[in-house]
Amino acid sequence: MIDHIDYMELALNEAIKADKKNEVPVGAIIVNKNGEIIAKAHNLVETNNNSTCHAEKLVIEKALEIIGSRFLDDCDIWVTLEPCVMCAGLIKQTRIRRLYYGAEDKKGGAVDNGVRVFSNNKTQRSIEVYGGISSTKSKQLLKDFFQKLR
């Protein structure tokens, strides 16, 4: 069985694919309860000229199609950057069991920063959140990407 660091490495590989396409380097994977990888994706905002094409949204859409359900109850998502409010909402609505993320996003994050989507007491279902996994690698990818732009 793959361990937590290996899952994040796979998400980081997706982020590297995004970087090679001049996309903000964010990658995501979804894993089922048996530890099998269901789907992988990376940011495609620029490629698709669509601001909603975040890695999390794309990987969730792929996983839903593969599973043939509107929910991902027994699945976990691994993403290299703390999800924004849109992506946190999608994670909540699709009933993903656990979120693992790499780098914190103090400006645009909505899990441990900003609006804290999962901290609302009125949320009907609890989502386990684990942040900071391989955060150094995630942060470095982002830092290198934005330095290239300047």
Side-chain angles (χ1 to χ4, degrees):
M1 181 128 177
I2 297 176
D3 71 17
H4 289 209
I5 301 302
D6 293 333
Y7 286 131
M8 189 56 79
E9 283 296 321
L10 294 172
L12 284 161
N13 288 340
E14 287 297 311
I16 291 166
K17 289 179 188 177
D19 186 54
K20 289 179 180 175
K21 295 176 182 177
N22 293 317
E23 296 278 354
V24 174
V26 177
I29 66 166
I30 291 185
V31 178
N32 69 15
K33 67 180 177 183
N34 300 322
E36 300 164 332
I37 297 154
I38 296 172
K40 301 176 190 177
H42 53 273
N43 275 3
L44 289 174
V45 170
E46 301 299 328
T47 302
N48 293 347
N49 194 31
N50 181 337
S51 349
T52 69
C53 288
H54 292 194
E56 301 95 319
K57 176 186 174 263
L58 298 173
V59 79
I60 287 169
E61 288 174 343
K62 285 180 183 180
L64 290 169
E65 187 174 329
I66 289 166
I67 289 176
S69 172
R70 64 185 186 147
F71 299 119
L72 298 170
D73 302 270
D74 294 324
C75 295
D76 302 335
I77 188 167
W78 294 78
V79 62
T80 58
L81 181 65
E82 178 183 356
C84 70
V85 69
M86 174 185 72
C87 294
L90 289 171
I91 290 166
K92 179 180 168 187
Q93 291 301 315
T94 55
R95 300 183 183 171
I96 288 175
R97 175 176 67 165
R98 293 183 196 110
L99 161 66
Y100 298 88
Y101 73 85
E104 245 189 338
D105 186 351
K106 294 199 184 280
K107 291 181 182 177
V111 176
D112 289 324
N113 292 285
V115 297
R116 298 179 184 218
V117 171
F118 306 138
S119 296
N120 183 338
N121 290 335
K122 295 179 183 175
T123 300
Q124 64 220 67
R125 191 165 182 273
S126 173
I127 296 167
E128 293 177 43
V129 177
Y130 304 92
I133 299 166
S134 299
S135 65
T136 303
K137 290 181 182 180
S138 296
K139 288 177 190 174
Q140 193 61 53
L141 268 174
L142 290 161
K143 182 179 176 184
D144 293 347
F145 175 80
F146 287 110
Q147 279 182 340
K148 284 189 291 187
L149 293 180
R150 294 183 184 127

